[in-house]
Structure formats: structure tokens, C-alpha cells
């Protein structure tokens, strides 16, 4: 440490380091503050002077021409860098970021600039070994096996003393000893430290006499000893060309600060660290009180006595373990033992809500942003959809203008790759198209995706239209296009529909694969159902859907011939979807009853043709039994085939002339979706039982998996009743009807009327004894 420069080595996101930095800056009283961070942030650091920039926040830098190349520098309220920024802006001091510019990190690599021939595997470049953790090395030297606990005891739980600079001198000495052994150094660290030294020299040339440098403790030894200017210039000479870069502030969350969320300099317990930094005095009682409030809100029986005992236990554990104060480990042990009564489930709730937390920062409107981001912020305010880090459910009634607009916004954002809202199962269990349910959860990285989506337009609607058209032109499968049409209708993108429909028509005309056509039809039919609620013109959609349905009807039977087991299972799922789609197509399209009946008749004819395609000359000459049985079942359920004909077909399939494996597949297709018909028609169950009893031992082993899968898909009550019928036998006799109940007693029935009327909220009927008649 020199007489002009105070090197404050810190640990990123450490509350003890943050308190120490605040005390050191107050004592040192610098006239300039230099902070480890991207120099591009000098243009936006002034926004920290107001109260609208609320941590946790992050600096987001990205390449202007390729927003996917981006980097974040998060700061929480307990981050030492944030404390230094606030000190500088509050005291009107110049503050500069001195790390290597982000523009160098966004430069294309050599492999991206020129395509190289593929190298043999043994010559492939090996990844660099992960550098040793300096804190782990220091903890090991001090005789501790847990570096986090050691750092908490040495730094985070210590209050600043009389000399606020003394802790930084001790940390610098320890890091110098590590670096003297060459531990943890890398080429990138050398470049970063050379640039930091250049910025310190620049601050001296600018006339600043008392300079405070806030940087990672590992870099302090390299900044304390200044090599020659020529040495640093030579190191930096090999840097790539800068890339044009934009930078701004974005909201961040405590959850994203955690190591589990993927940020390398994060901490495992940001919520706990925030509590340590913001709480005066002993933090443990207050934190346990918050834990008790949380558990009580979740219906756990926690009293004040529990809190008192938990505090005592945490403090006792700290003494037994030789710690200066109870840390997070001791506190959580006390929570598990006392507040949660040994339950790890309740403890995980405390970990998630309090140890990590869902705090979301705020950014002022004056922060730089792409036009698309500003339009999204405007829509969020007008629709009263505030971004929140904690997941929450949102039910929308599309008959209301505001809810319909919210739905369009969420669907448009999903099209742009911003999964702020994800469709969820409604708690109302409504099957109508006027209701939607969403699960909302805002993530900080959405800022990067919004910057990427800005290439498609300056507003959310314009960008979604551009993205939809671009996706349609790049699509190669018909199902992808029909799904895109459905998304355009959900998102209200009338400007994209004509272009998407043209591509869809061209692709459908060229695609001859019936499986592709069958997979594409359901999405189009679902899209037609949104017309009434969303007020969209679906004339072109109805024509396209009807055309696809006609082609499926014509091509389905021959397309099912010769399929293997896996392909047959996939085709069965498509047949079920097409069957439901055709049932909805007529009413959703135009209300043309004649057209609807004609299409339904042609689909029934296709199913009849499929059901007749027996494998007379081997499996390759006919349709699999799974599909033939499914066709018969669909015809039976629609009333286009009576039970007598269904029984005759089952009898033929189960005859000795057919292969047992094909018969088992037929039964699986026939019973898929419900086995209650075996209970209503005992003859079908008798035929199945008779066939199964006659299957040979070797063949039975082959068909057993198919039969187990078939009956496992039936309802539990149906399986139980079938088992009872088989055990009781004989199966070809209908079960005896239940005995008739006794005659109704009018007097006893009238006595229950007032109670039932009260429960139903209706006017009670006057008893017959009072009037002689029912009124």
C-alpha cells in the first residue's frame, strides 16, 4: 500500500467486505475511487446517484451487432463495489471502472473468424485447468476444511476496528504469499491486472492524490508493485480489436446471485448476507424471527418459545464449534431442530425464501435501453403486469379487454424467446377457450433476449410479427408451420398471418407424408376455435384445415400399411388427434352443416378402410393390429358401428388364424381410452377371456407385455370390476341387476327438504302435510 493509493482487496458480494470498504473509505477520504469492472460502465454509473436504481442490479454489456454476446456484472446492496459506488456518488467523487473492457471479450475468436479444418481428436485443444480457489488454499493453511466458514469467521463476522485499513493490509499479505508460489494465476488475470495498473497511472496523471482502488483481493499484490509502463503495454498489445459495445443497468435477483444459478463470483446465501449487512446488532434473533413468521404463514406451529430456544441452540453450537458468532450453519441447524422439528421439507422452504430469496432490483427509466425494451416497459405499466422474481399464477378471462391484451403480450414474448409467462393448468379446470392460466416468473437474462429480439422491430408487436415471418420462411416441417399459425392467432399477429399462411399453403401442397399432414391438422383446428373469443378472421384457416383433413382421409389407410411397432404407436396418437380435430373442424370453421357431415363421413370411411386392412400375406401387407383395433373403437364410440359388429370383428381377430401378437395389438388399440365397454357388453369380455385362455405358453410370454400395458392403462375401478367378473364367471351371462330399493317414504323425504333448500340456496318447498299438495 503506497501513500497515494489505498488498495482495498475484497471478496465479491461479501457483507463483511462491504462494511470494511465503507469504513476504509470514510477513514481514507479519497479524491477518486477506482473499481474493478468494465470501463464502459463509466457512462452509466451516474444513475446510481438517485434512488431509482435499487439493488440487486447488474451491468449488462453486449455487442451491438450480436446481442447474444453479452456479459453481466451483478451488484447487491451488500456488494463492496456497490458500497464504493454509493460512497463516490454521495460525496461527488469521480468513480471509474478499471478492469479490462468488455469490448475485448466480445471479439470473435480465431475459429469464428476463419473456418479451420477439423483436427484429429488427439490433437484437439484441451480446456484450461480450473484455477485453485485462493480462499480454499488460505483456509487449508489455517487448518479449516470449509473455506466459506473460515472466511465468515475471519471477515464477514468481524466489525471494523479502529484502523479500518488494517484488515486490507492483512488480506493483501496473505494473497501475496499465495501469488509468490504462483498459485491461481492465469493469462487473462495478467491482462486484466496490466489494464488496471494503466488506469491507476491515468488517475495519477489526472492529478488525484488519494486514490482508493476496490478490487478482488487476489489482484492486490499485482497492483501494489508497479512494473514499467512498457511491460504493461507489451502485455496488452496482443489484445483483439474492440467490438462496438452497449452497456446499461438491468434488474437482478438474489436467486441469480447464488452459485447454484451459475454466476461464478456468487454466494450460496445472498438472502442471509443481505440480512447480515442490513441488520444492526446481533443478526441471529431477527433472522430466526423472520423464519418463524415464514413458517407460521405456511401453517407450521411455531411460537415465540420456539424462537427463543432456537437462538439459544444456535449460540451454543457456535461456542461448541469455536466460532466467534453463530453463522448460517449453526442457524440452520437450530431452525431444523427447533422450528421445523426435524423436517427437511420445512427447512428447504426456509432455505429457498430466506437463505436465497427472490429480491428483484429496480432500474430507472433513464437507463439506456433498446426501443423494444422501452415498449415492453410501457406495456407492463399499462397492463399492470409488474415483473417479479417470485413465481406467481395468473388467470385470464379473454372476454375482458385487459386480460386479452395481457394474453397477447405473453404469447408475443414467448414467440420472441422471452418465457416470462408459461401456460399452466388452471385452478378453475375450465375447458372453454375464453380462459387462460399462466405461471409468471421474471428472469434477469430476459434483458439479453430482448436485446436479441430488437433486430425484428422496435415494438413488441412489430418484433413478434417479424420473428413469426422469419420463422415461417425458415421452417422445414408442416407441423412447425401450423403451430406457428396457432401462435400468431393467440398473439393477435394479424400482420404475420398472410405471410405465414402463404408458406403453409406451399408446404402443404408439396408435403405428401400423411403423418406430417395428420400432425399438422390439430394445431390448425385449435387455432380456429379462438376466432369467436379473439375476434380473428379465420376464413383462410378453415380452408387450409379442410384441405389438410381431406388429404388425411384419402391417404391414411395406405399410409398405415407395413408400419413397425414404434411407427404404429406414433400413428395411433396422430389418429386420435385427427379424430378429435375433425369433430371440431366443422363447428369451428363456418357452421356449414353439410360440409361438416361430409367430412365426418369421409373420415369414417377412412377408418372403415383402415379396419379392413388385415395382414393377409404377412405383417408387411396390412395395417398393424394396434391401428385396426383403434379404428374399430373410434367407429364404435361415434355410433357408426354397433356392438354386434364390434363383437364380430373382435371374434375374428381373436381366432386361431391370426397371430397372437397382432391380436394383442388389436386389443390394445380397441381398449385404449377406456375399458368400460367390457363391463357393459359381457360378450366382449368373454371372447377376450376365451382367447387368452387358449394362447400357448411360449406365445403367451410374447404377448404378455402388450396385455399388461393395455390393462394398466384402464381405470383402476374398471380393472377391479373386470377381475371380479372373471373370478365370478361365467362371463357370457349378464350380471344380475341390483335389487330394487324400497318404496320412498314421503314423510321422511319432506323432513329433509328445508335442510337441502338451505344448502342449495333455494326457496324451500312447503310440505304436503300443510297444503295437501306439493307447491
Amino acid at each position: 500500500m503506497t501513500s497515494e493509493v489505498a488498495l482495498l482487496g475484497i471478496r465479491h458480494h461479501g457483507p463483511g467486505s462491504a462494511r470494511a470498504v465503507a469504513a476504509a473509505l470514510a477513514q481514507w477520504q479519497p479524491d477518486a475511487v477506482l473499481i474493478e469492472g468494465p470501463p464502459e460502465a463509466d457512462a452509466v454509473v451516474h444513475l446510481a446517484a438517485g434512488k431509482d436504481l435499487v439493488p440487486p442490479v447488474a451491468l449488462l454489456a453486449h455487442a451491438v451487432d450480436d446481442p447474444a454476446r453479452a456479459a453481466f456484472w451483478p451488484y447487491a446492496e451488500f456488494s463492496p463495489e456497490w458500497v464504493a459506488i454509493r460512497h463516490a456518488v454521495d460525496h461527488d467523487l469521480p468513480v471509474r471502472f478499471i478492469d479490462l473492457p468488455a469490448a475485448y471479450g466480445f471479439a470473435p475468436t480465431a475459429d469464428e473468424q476463419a473456418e479451420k479444418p477439423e483436427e484429429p481428436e488427439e490433437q484437439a485443444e484441451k480446456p484450461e485447468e480450473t484455477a485453485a480457489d485462493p480462499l480454499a488454499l488460505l483456509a487449508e493453511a489455517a487448518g479449516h476444511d470449509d473455506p466459506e466458514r473460515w472466511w465468515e469467521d475471519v471477515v464477514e463476522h468481524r466489525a471494523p476496528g479502529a484502523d479500518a485499513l488494517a484488515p486490507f493490509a492483512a488480506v493483501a499479505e496473505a494473497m501475496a504469499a499465495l501469488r509468490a508460489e504462483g498459485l491461481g494465476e492465469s493469462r487473462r488475470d495478467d491482462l486484466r491486472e496490466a489494464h488496471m495498473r494503466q488506469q491507476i497511472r491515468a488517475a495519477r496523471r489526472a492529478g488525484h492524490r488519494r486514490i482508493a482502488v476496490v478490487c478482488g483481493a487476489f489482484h492486490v499484490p499485482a497492483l501494489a508493485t508497479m512494473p514499467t509502463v512498457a511491460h504493461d503495454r507489451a502485455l496488452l498489445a496482443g489484445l483483439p480489436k474492440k467490438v462496438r459495445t452497449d452497456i446499461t443497468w438491468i434488474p437482478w435477483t438474489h436467486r441469480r446471485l447464488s452459485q447454484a444459478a451459475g454466476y461464478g463470483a456468487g454466494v450460496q446465501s445472498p438472502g442471509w448476507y443481505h440480512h447480515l449487512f442490513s441488520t444492526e446488532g446481533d443478526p441471529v434473533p431477527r433472522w430466526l424471527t423472520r423464519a418463524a413468521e415464514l413458517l407460521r404463514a405456511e401453517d407450521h406451529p411455531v411460537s415465540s418459545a420456539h424462537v427463543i430456544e432456537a437462538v439459544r441452540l444456535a449460540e451454543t453450537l457456535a461456542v461448541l464449534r469455536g466460532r466467534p458468532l453463530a453463522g448460517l450453519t449453526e442457524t440452520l441447524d437450530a431452525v431444523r431442530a427447533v422450528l421445523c422439528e426435524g423436517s427437511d421439507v420445512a427447512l428447504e422452504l426456509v432455505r429457498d425464501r430466506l437463505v436465497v430469496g427472490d429480491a428483484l432490483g429496480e432500474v430507472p427509466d433513464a437507463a439506456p435501453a433498446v426501443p423494444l425494451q422501452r415498449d415492453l416497459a410501457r406495456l407492463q405499466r399499462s397492463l399492470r403486469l409488474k415483473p417479479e422474481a417470485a413465481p406467481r399464477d395468473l388467470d385470464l378471462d379473454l372476454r375482458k379487454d385487459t386480460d386479452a391484451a395481457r394474453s397477447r403480450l405473453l404469447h408475443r414474448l414467448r414467440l420472441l424467446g422471452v418465457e416470462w409467462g408459461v401456460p399452466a393448468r388452471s385452478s378453475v379446470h375450465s375447458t372453454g377457450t375464453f380462459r387462460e392460466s399462466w405461471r409468471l416468473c421474471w428472469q434477469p437474462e430476459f434483458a439479453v433476449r430482448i436485446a436479441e429480439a430488437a433486430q425484428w422491430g422496435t415494438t413488441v408487436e412489430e418484433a413478434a410479427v417479424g420473428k413469426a415471418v422469419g420463422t415461417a420462411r425458415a421452417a422445414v416441417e408442416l407441423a412447425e408451420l401450423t403451430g406457428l399459425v396457432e401462435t400468431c392467432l393467440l398473439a393477435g399477429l394479424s400482420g404475420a398471418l398472410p405471410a405465414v399462411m402463404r408458406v403453409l399453403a406451399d408446404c402443404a401442397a408439396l408435403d405428401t407424408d400423411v403423418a406430417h399432414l395428420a400432425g399438422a391438422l390439430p394445431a390448425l383446428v385449435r387455432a380456429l376455435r379462438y376466432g369467436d373469443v379473439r375476434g380473428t378472421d379465420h376464413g383462410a384457416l378453415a380452408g387450409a384445415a379442410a384441405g389438410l383433413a381431406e388429404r388425411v382421409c384419402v391417404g391414411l389407410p395406405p399410409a398405415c400399411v407395413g408400419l413397425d411397432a414404434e411407427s404404429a404407436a406414433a400413428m395411433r396418437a396422430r389418429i386420435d388427434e385427427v379424430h378429435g380435430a375433425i369433430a371440431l373442424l366443422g363447428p369451428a370453421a363456418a357452421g356449414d352443416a353439410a360440409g361438416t357431415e361430409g367430412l365426418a363421413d369421409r373420415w369414417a370411411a377412412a377408418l372403415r378402410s383402415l379396419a379392413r386392412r388385415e395382414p393377409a400375406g404377412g405383417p408387411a401387407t396390412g395395417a398393424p393390429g394396434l391401428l385396426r383395433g383403434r379404428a374399430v373403437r373410434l367407429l364404435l364410440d361415434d355410433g357408426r358401428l354397433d356392438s354386434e359388429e364390434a363383437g364380430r370383428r373382435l371374434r375374428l381377430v381373436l381366432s386361431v388364424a391370426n397371430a397372437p401378437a397382432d391380436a394383442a395389438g388389436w386389443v390394445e388399440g380397441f381398449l385404449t381410452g377406456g375399458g368400460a365397454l367390457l363391463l357393459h357388453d359381457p360378450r366382449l369380455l368373454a371372447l377376450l377371456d376365451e382367447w387368452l385362455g387358449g394362447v400357448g405358453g411360449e406365445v403367451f410370454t410374447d404377448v404378455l407385455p402388450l396385455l399388461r400395458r393395455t390393462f394398466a392403462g384402464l381405470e383402476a375401478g374398471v380393472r377391479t370390476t373386470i377381475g371380479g367378473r372373471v373370478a365370478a364367471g361365467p362371463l357370457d351371462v349378464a350380471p344380475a341387476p341390483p335389487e330394487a330399493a324400497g318404496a320412498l317414504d314421503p314423510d321422511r323425504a319432506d323432513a329433509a327438504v328445508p335442510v337441502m333448500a338451505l344448502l342449495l340456496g333455494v326457496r324451500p318447498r312447503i310440505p304436503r302435510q300443510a297444503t295437501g299438495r306439493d307447491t
Side-chain angles (χ1 to χ4, degrees):
M1 184 175 296
T2 69
S3 59
E4 294 182 343
V5 179
L7 299 175
L8 307 181
I10 52 93
R11 187 190 186 192
H12 304 291
H13 311 307
S17 293
R19 286 193 297 267
V21 165
L25 291 177
Q27 176 180 319
W28 179 253
Q29 295 184 358
D31 57 4
V33 178
L34 307 183
I35 300 174
E36 177 186 338
E40 292 91 344
D42 291 348
V44 296
V45 71
H46 67 278
L47 295 173
K51 296 183 179 180
D52 295 331
L53 188 62
V54 180
V57 293
L59 288 167
L60 164 63
H62 64 85
V64 174
D65 297 329
D66 186 5
R69 295 180 180 271
F72 303 92
W73 288 264
Y75 302 114
E77 185 178 356
F78 52 83
S79 299
E81 299 93 333
W82 179 257
V83 171
I85 291 172
R86 290 296 310 176
H87 178 89
V89 297
D90 290 344
H91 292 80
D92 198 21
L93 300 177
V95 54
R96 298 288 182 267
F97 290 88
I98 61 173
D99 205 345
L100 203 63
Y104 289 127
F106 300 146
T109 62
D111 292 339
E112 294 171 329
Q113 291 175 345
E115 185 176 351
K116 295 182 177 181
E118 186 175 354
E119 296 180 351
E121 185 175 352
E122 62 271 11
Q123 298 181 6
E125 183 180 355
K126 296 182 179 180
E128 294 184 1
E129 294 185 0
T130 304
D133 182 7
L135 294 184
L137 296 174
L138 291 175
E140 183 180 358
H144 291 259
D145 57 356
D146 188 341
E148 291 291 334
R149 180 184 298 182
W150 174 79
W151 181 262
E152 282 190 354
D153 290 347
V154 173
V155 177
E156 306 302 346
H157 292 167
R158 302 285 184 178
D163 184 3
L165 298 178
F168 296 103
V171 171
E173 182 180 357
M175 291 299 172
L178 287 179
R179 299 201 62 164
E181 300 295 331
L183 299 175
E185 297 183 6
S186 67
R187 167 67 176 171
R188 178 166 176 78
D189 283 332
D190 292 340
L191 293 174
R192 296 174 61 197
E193 289 160 358
H195 192 273
M196 292 181 193
R197 290 191 293 264
Q198 292 285 62
Q199 296 303 307
I200 293 174
R201 295 186 183 104
R204 285 174 172 171
R205 290 195 301 268
H208 299 297
R209 307 311 302 167
R210 299 176 67 84
I211 304 170
V213 179
V214 180
C215 62
F218 182 76
H219 303 299
V220 169
L223 303 184
T225 303
M226 287 280 190
T228 63
V229 176
H231 174 272
D232 289 341
R233 286 178 177 173
L235 276 176
L236 298 174
L239 289 173
K241 184 180 179 181
K242 283 186 176 183
V243 174
R244 195 159 59 97
T245 304
D246 279 346
I247 195 166
T248 186
W249 292 101
I250 64 169
W252 206 251
T253 66
H254 278 174
R255 192 170 301 278
R256 294 297 295 174
L257 279 172
S258 65
Q259 289 178 346
Y263 178 60
V267 292
Q268 296 177 347
S269 50
W272 166 258
Y273 273 11
H274 176 80
H275 179 77
L276 291 181
F277 181 76
S278 59
T279 303
E280 296 292 338
D282 189 355
V284 174
R286 291 180 175 86
W287 195 85
L288 288 172
T289 301
R290 293 177 57 199
E293 292 176 354
L294 172 63
L295 292 173
R296 280 198 294 266
E298 298 294 331
D299 295 331
H300 291 272
V302 180
S303 66
S304 301
H306 286 85
V307 177
I308 294 172
E309 291 303 318
V311 172
R312 290 175 178 173
L313 178 57
E315 293 174 348
T316 303
L317 289 173
V319 173
L320 292 175
R321 295 169 181 174
R323 306 194 65 181
L325 289 174
L328 179 60
T329 303
E330 289 73 28
T331 306
L332 288 181
D333 286 346
V335 169
R336 178 193 284 111
V338 180
L339 302 187
C340 300
E341 298 180 344
S343 170
D344 287 334
V345 175
L347 181 64
E348 283 304 314
L349 177 66
V350 176
R351 288 183 184 274
D352 184 71
R353 301 280 185 86
L354 296 183
V355 177
V356 178
D358 287 307
L360 177 65
E362 298 179 8
V363 173
D365 295 337
V370 295
L372 179 60
Q373 175 67 60
R374 296 194 181 280
D375 184 62
L376 174 58
R378 177 187 61 82
L379 292 172
Q380 289 170 336
R381 288 192 299 269
S382 63
L383 297 176
R384 298 186 295 281
L385 278 178
K386 183 180 180 181
E388 296 178 352
R392 68 183 181 97
D393 294 326
L394 177 67
D395 290 324
L396 301 178
D397 185 345
L398 302 182
R399 295 168 296 185
K400 300 178 181 179
D401 293 341
T402 300
D403 282 358
R406 289 173 174 173
S407 173
R408 289 192 295 269
L409 174 62
L410 295 173
H411 281 293
R412 290 170 182 176
L413 290 176
R414 292 195 75 206
L415 181 60
L416 294 173
V418 181
E419 299 278 345
W420 178 21
V422 177
R425 183 182 296 274
S426 174
S427 58
V428 184
H429 301 292
S430 172
T431 58
T433 57
F434 64 86
R435 185 178 297 280
E436 281 185 352
S437 294
W438 295 84
R439 183 80 165 173
L440 303 184
C441 182
W442 185 263
Q443 301 292 341
E445 59 267 24
F446 290 160
V448 177
R449 299 178 189 174
I450 293 171
E452 291 181 274
Q455 61 178 307
W456 299 107
T458 58
T459 66
V460 174
E461 180 178 4
E462 180 183 341
V465 169
K467 179 66 178 297
V469 174
T471 302
R473 292 172 178 170
V476 294
E477 294 187 2
L478 189 60
E480 183 180 358
L481 285 169
T482 55
L484 184 60
V485 169
E486 182 181 11
T487 301
C488 288
L489 283 178
L490 290 169
L493 301 178
S494 56
L497 270 178
V500 176
M501 289 301 300
R502 284 195 298 269
V503 178
L504 172 63
D506 294 341
C507 185
L510 298 176
D511 199 332
T512 59
D513 190 328
V514 174
H516 291 172
L517 299 176
L521 179 62
L524 273 184
V525 175
R526 286 195 304 267
L528 286 172
R529 298 183 68 202
Y530 306 134
D532 295 336
V533 175
R534 300 175 185 269
T536 54
D537 181 10
H538 49 257
L541 286 179
L548 283 181
E550 293 284 357
R551 295 177 62 187
V552 170
C553 292
V554 172
L556 178 66
C560 294
V561 174
L563 296 180
D564 58 18
E566 184 178 356
S567 301
M571 183 61 78
R572 188 202 68 182
R574 291 192 175 97
I575 289 175
D576 287 343
E577 292 177 351
V578 171
H579 186 75
I582 288 179
L584 294 173
L585 180 58
D592 185 356
T596 302
E597 291 300 325
L599 181 58
D601 291 341
R602 287 188 288 276
W603 174 244
L607 292 177
R608 290 193 183 94
S609 176
L610 173 60
R612 291 194 297 266
R613 295 204 174 236
E614 306 282 347
T621 62
L626 176 69
L627 301 183
R628 303 197 319 273
R630 191 61 189 153
V632 171
R633 176 60 184 272
L634 294 177
L635 290 170
L636 177 64
D637 289 345
D638 281 355
R640 295 179 179 270
L641 198 70
D642 56 29
S643 59
E644 292 285 344
E645 178 63 17
R648 186 185 70 82
R649 290 178 181 268
L650 177 61
R651 189 178 301 107
L652 292 175
V653 168
L654 299 182
S655 65
V656 295
N658 283 341
D662 183 74
W666 198 99
V667 171
E668 180 183 1
F670 185 70
L671 295 182
T672 298
L677 58 89
L678 293 179
L679 303 178
H680 299 315
D681 194 340
R683 293 170 301 172
L684 297 181
L685 182 58
L687 287 173
L688 185 60
D689 182 65
E690 181 183 356
W691 168 79
L692 190 59
V695 174
E698 295 181 359
V699 178
F700 179 80
T701 304
D702 296 333
V703 301
L704 181 59
L706 291 176
L707 294 174
R708 286 178 61 89
R709 183 174 63 195
T710 301
F711 282 91
L714 302 182
E715 303 87 341
V718 172
R719 292 200 305 269
T720 302
T721 307
I722 289 177
R725 292 274 182 88
V726 172
L731 297 176
D732 54 352
V733 178
E739 296 182 2
L744 178 66
D745 186 343
D747 295 333
R748 298 181 64 187
D750 286 340
V753 169
V755 176
M756 294 300 301
L758 180 62
L759 293 176
L760 298 175
V762 298
R763 183 178 179 183
R765 179 172 56 86
I766 301 174
R768 66 178 69 244
Q769 292 91 335
T771 62
R773 58 184 178 86
D774 290 340
T775 57

